[in-house]
Amino acid sequence: GQQLNQSPQSMFIQEGEDVSMNCTSSSIFNTWLWYKQDPGEGPVLLIALYKAGELTSNGRLTAQFGITRKDSFLNISASIPSDVGIYFCAGLRHSGNTPLVFGKGTRLSVIA
Amino acid sequence: EAGVAQSPRYKIIEKRQSVAFWCNPISGHATLYWYQQILGQGPKLLIQFQNNGVVDDSQLPKDRFSAERLKGVDSTLKIQPAKLEDSAVYLCASSHSGNQPQHFGDGTRLSIL
């Protein structure tokens, strides 16, 4: 099946630093989504991207839909301790009933 | 708006026993999904409903897993009999339609002894 390659797998950063993670695919997607999952909870939608080249912000988070429609990145500026968690990218194709495809996640740890 | 509700939050059973999970989607969301999330991985789709009809159940192990959404709102997922490898978090999600972003519940953490 389709797979999304998400990197890095994990990262340790100092509080206040900026963070960047990305997701690539061999297939084209029509929608890219970024979720955050805290321990014991379900994934929470952070940003949704619908158009190639689109750059969208949500507070300190910024995400972009790659021009080729095969990649996306998420940036977090000025990280804080509550940014700790696992970040998942997910891609959706609008043709047929193809399911949402998730990456394996980036585990973010913030050192105060 | 209220989010996706799931129960129970935790369940511990022995292998070969049966278990059922319940999900109430966000009001007005026609599409409902059940996912299995194994530790260290992203969610994997088990089944997708559009109203009370099944859209995709290609990854549902049908010999032991079943799901229904009889009235097009709430849904139940059942495992019978459970195996050790079924230990995972079972997430329910819903969306307005199949092409819209999905919103997740907090999941049911299942442990098989």
Side-chain angles (χ1 to χ4, degrees):
Chain A
Q2 295 181 67
Q3 287 191 344
L4 295 183
N5 299 309
Q6 190 172 347
S7 66
Q9 190 173 2
S10 62
M11 42 194 324
F12 291 81
I13 61 168
Q14 293 277 350
E15 183 178 359
E17 287 184 349
D18 296 343
V19 173
S20 185
M21 58 191 79
N22 68 78
C23 215
T24 60
S25 170
S26 57
S27 305
I28 288 173
F29 288 101
N30 300 107
T31 299
W32 282 94
L33 306 171
W34 284 92
Y35 288 88
K36 179 182 181 235
Q37 188 172 26
D38 291 330
E41 298 183 12
V44 173
L45 182 66
L46 299 173
I47 292 180
L49 302 159
Y50 300 101
K51 204 163 74 168
E54 179 182 353
L55 185 72
T56 297
S57 294
N58 178 7
R60 293 179 296 107
L61 277 61
T62 302
Q64 184 158 29
F65 192 141
I67 289 290
T68 65
R69 294 164 65 194
K70 293 182 179 181
D71 63 331
S72 177
F73 73 74
L74 175 71
N75 285 344
I76 305 173
S77 62
S79 58
I80 59 178
S82 62
D83 290 335
V84 166
I86 302 177
Y87 292 79
F88 289 100
C89 62
L92 185 63
R93 296 175 66 190
H94 294 174
S95 58
N97 293 315
T98 51
L100 190 61
V101 179
F102 281 84
K104 290 189 175 181
T106 294
R107 183 181 295 273
L108 179 63
S109 300
V110 179
I111 304 166
Chain B
E1 70 183 353
V4 176
Q6 288 189 248
S7 67
R9 288 299 312 274
Y10 305 92
K11 190 74 178 178
I12 302 173
I13 62 172
E14 295 185 346
K15 59 183 179 183
R16 291 187 288 272
Q17 285 187 326
S18 303
V19 65
F21 314 126
W22 173 83
C23 173
N24 181 239
I26 292 173
S27 177
H29 280 193
T31 312
L32 184 148
Y33 314 78
W34 284 101
Y35 287 86
Q36 181 191 61
Q37 187 177 25
I38 292 172
L39 190 64
Q41 298 183 20
K44 185 188 88 170
L45 180 70
L46 293 174
I47 189 167
Q48 176 182 344
F49 290 94
Q50 180 70 20
N51 297 310
N52 61 349
V54 175
V55 172
D56 182 359
D57 64 356
S58 57
Q59 298 199 78
L60 187 74
K62 298 180 189 61
D63 57 333
R64 298 183 300 105
F65 286 63
S66 64
E68 59 183 17
R69 194 186 184 198
L70 293 175
K71 296 183 179 178
V73 180
D74 294 5
S75 177
T76 56
L77 176 70
K78 296 179 182 177
I79 307 175
Q80 180 180 10
K83 292 186 175 181
L84 292 174
E85 61 260 35
D86 298 333
S87 293
V89 176
Y90 290 85
L91 295 163
C92 179
S94 70
S95 62
H96 280 291
S97 69
N99 292 338
Q100 295 297 310
Q102 299 172 25
H103 299 269
F104 286 81
D106 283 338
T108 297
R109 185 176 298 275
L110 176 66
S111 298
I112 311 294
L113 304 178

